[in-house]
Amino acid sequence: KYSFVWLSNDGFTTVQDIILVITFITGQDEPEQSEELASDLNQDGNINIQDIILLINIILGNKDQTESLSTVFYQINEENKLRIHSSGNVAGLELNVNSEVSIEDFYLNEGWEIAHGNNKVLIYNLSGESISNGDILAFSEHISIESGIAVDWSGKMTELIEGNLINEDFQFMGAYPNPFNPQTTISYVLNKNGYLTISMYDLAGHMVYSLYEGTQTEGSYSIEINAEELSSGLYFIKSQFNSGSSIKNETLKINLLK
């Protein structure tokens, strides 16, 4: 659990403290040294969305985290809509973008807040909810996300990974890290129940690992791969998914560097 030295000098940890931290992150105000130290709740030397979520959690009475955050993918489509997909509970997002932004639409439920400035976009809420997979917002013009982080309600952070979020029965979301040595995690999404096989092959077409075979229900999944016994080179993760009405094959390329 984290404690907080209040910023607003009223003796209480309140929404006013959250607003002050947001103004520091978005460049609307420059913190004094004491304010900077108080705002960095996890003491990592940075003031960011992690500290906002930890502060909100204190106000909420230290909300229990029941599901850890793993991989979070994002995509900006041709309509400048930002979409995310995660297999865990996302409490907040911070985007580092290439220019100042203008938000055209915001698709999250009432209670979600958005703040931007200093080439950053912050998304959070004060009620303890988590962000649903799907469209988050639409920018008024094309924006490039240079980096981003997602945070769960325990304050754990993971970097956002760009992915192709197309609505298919089965879809690989990617591998992270990639290139890797010797461990990586592949993530995938099922939009239907069905029978799935996933295997790993070398360049010669020989199967080196059988990663999964069996029936799986709709949802998001990940598989950890430890390639310690394999030599450096390109490998292919091949899948076949049978939903009963169709069969879909996909291939994901991964690069082992030792």
Side-chain angles (χ1 to χ4, degrees), residues 126-178:
L126 304 176
S127 58
E129 296 181 9
S130 298
I131 297 177
S132 300
N133 291 331
D135 292 337
I136 303 300
L137 56 83
F139 295 107
S140 299
E141 57 187 17
H142 177 71
I143 288 291
S144 295
I145 296 178
E146 297 181 342
S147 63
I149 57 175
V151 182
D152 65 20
W153 282 109
S154 69
K156 178 185 175 184
M157 178 195 76
T158 187
E159 294 183 3
L160 298 181
I161 303 171
E162 188 171 11
N164 185 24
L165 307 186
I166 301 173
N167 187 22
E168 300 280 0
D169 290 351
F170 171 90
Q171 184 179 1
F172 279 127
M173 303 304 297
Y176 186 79
N178 189 23

Side-chain angles (χ1 to χ4, degrees), residues 203-258:
L203 278 173
H206 301 130
M207 187 176 73
V208 294
Y209 294 134
S210 175
L211 300 174
Y212 185 85
E213 182 172 3
T215 301
Q216 272 194 329
T217 57
E218 176 183 349
S220 300
Y221 299 90
S222 61
I223 298 175
E224 293 185 0
I225 299 173
N226 188 334
E228 187 173 0
E229 61 187 31
L230 300 179
S231 58
S232 295
L234 292 176
Y235 292 86
F236 300 91
I237 309 298
K238 296 187 177 183
S239 69
Q240 183 176 86
F241 178 67
N242 187 340
S243 66
S245 58
S246 64
I247 296 177
K248 180 175 177 58
N249 297 290
E250 267 204 31
T251 301
L252 176 68
K253 182 170 65 175
I254 58 176
N255 189 6
L256 174 60
L257 294 179
K258 291 188 173 181

